[in-house]
């Protein structure tokens, strides 16, 4: 699951501003990230660091700027997480940027080891200022050649993202 800062958004300040990062740091887990949780007979609780003992059920997989949409490709066990870049204060995640980070299972043999997922590709599309919206929800589909494609929310509308070529190939405004 992802932990977007937007859960901390205030009705009076409904935009991506530095106060959101302060809230995550001081009242949340300490940073934005992608997490996974073991579900068993033990009750769940959050942890602000990687799994450190047998009682931790929530584990950090990766730190990201504004993680939001999450899913798997159809043709593989590749995990995809979108970054919902809004606002102008975060230099690595500016309004108009749509980003999808792809993770492959790593070489670790322990399924609950945070090193068991590795970033292998980041697909980024930047639009001129003035385009609102962000990379958010998506659906992985297979094209006519059996290759993975994302139909995704992105800055300015909806995008078709070619995973093989690593780029946005079509945009619906």
């Amino acid at each position: 699951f992802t932990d977007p800062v937007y859960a901390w958004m205030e009705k009076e300040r409904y935009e991506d501003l530095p106060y959101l990062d302060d809230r995550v740091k001081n009242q949340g887990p300490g940073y934005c990230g992608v997490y996974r949780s073991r579900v068993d007979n033990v009750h769940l609780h959050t942890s602000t660091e990687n799994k450190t003992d047998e009682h931790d059920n929530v584990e950090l997989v990766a730190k990201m700027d504004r993680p939001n949409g999450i899913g798997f490709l159809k043709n593989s066990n590749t995990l995809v997480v979108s970054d919902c870049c809004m606002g102008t204060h975060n230099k690595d995640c500016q309004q108009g940027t749509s980003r999808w980070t792809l993770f492959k299972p790593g070489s670790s043999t322990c399924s609950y080891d945070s090193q068991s997922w590795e970033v292998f590709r980041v697909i980024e599309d930047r639009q001129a200022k003035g385009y609102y919206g962000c990379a958010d929800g998506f659906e992985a589909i297979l094209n006519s050649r059996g290759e993975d494609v994302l139909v995704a929310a992105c800055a300015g509308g909806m995008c078709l993202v070619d995973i093989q070529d690593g780029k946005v190939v079509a945009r619906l405004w």
Side-chain angles (χ1 to χ4, degrees):
F1 61 95
T2 61
D3 183 38
V5 299
Y6 303 119
W8 299 101
M9 204 169 269
E10 297 172 356
K11 187 176 182 179
E12 302 78 34
R13 297 189 284 179
Y14 197 74
E15 59 184 303
D16 192 341
L17 295 170
Y19 80 92
L20 294 171
D21 296 299
D22 293 339
R23 289 276 177 82
V24 169
K25 182 178 178 184
N26 298 321
Q27 297 174 325
Y31 36 75
C32 293
V34 179
Y35 299 85
R36 68 177 168 183
S37 175
R38 181 180 62 221
V39 179
D40 54 23
N41 291 331
V42 179
H43 72 280
L44 297 177
H45 66 277
T46 58
S47 171
T48 59
E49 291 300 323
N50 287 357
K51 184 176 184 299
T52 57
D53 66 31
E54 64 192 35
H55 301 293
D56 287 341
N57 289 316
V58 177
E59 172 193 18
L60 175 68
V61 172
K63 293 180 184 178
M64 293 180 67
D65 290 305
R66 295 291 189 259
N68 210 341
I70 188 168
F72 285 90
L73 296 181
K74 298 284 186 200
N75 227 5
S76 67
N77 56 356
T78 300
L79 175 67
V80 181
V81 181
S82 63
D83 255 331
C84 186
C85 298
M86 297 175 61
T88 58
H89 77 283
N90 185 337
K91 68 179 178 70
D92 296 323
C93 199
Q94 296 274 314
Q95 178 65 47
T97 301
S98 298
R99 182 183 307 132
W100 300 270
T101 302
L102 284 65
F103 297 86
K104 287 259 190 206
S107 58
S108 172
T109 58
C110 175
S111 65
Y112 278 93
D113 174 2
S114 65
Q115 299 305 310
S116 63
W117 290 94
E118 300 170 354
V119 173
F120 85 95
R121 172 175 269 174
V122 176
I123 300 170
E124 189 169 283
D125 179 72
R126 292 180 186 229
Q127 295 297 303
K129 291 189 183 221
Y131 286 97
Y132 296 98
C134 64
D136 191 354
F138 58 84
E139 177 69 28
I141 63 170
L142 297 178
N143 65 16
S144 61
R145 296 181 305 273
E147 300 167 336
D148 286 299
V149 175
L150 297 180
V151 178
C154 62
M158 296 292 295
C159 292
L160 289 179
V161 183
D162 186 316
I163 299 299
Q164 293 294 110
D165 290 340
K167 64 182 181 182
V168 171
V169 294
R171 182 181 310 274
L172 301 170
W173 303 101

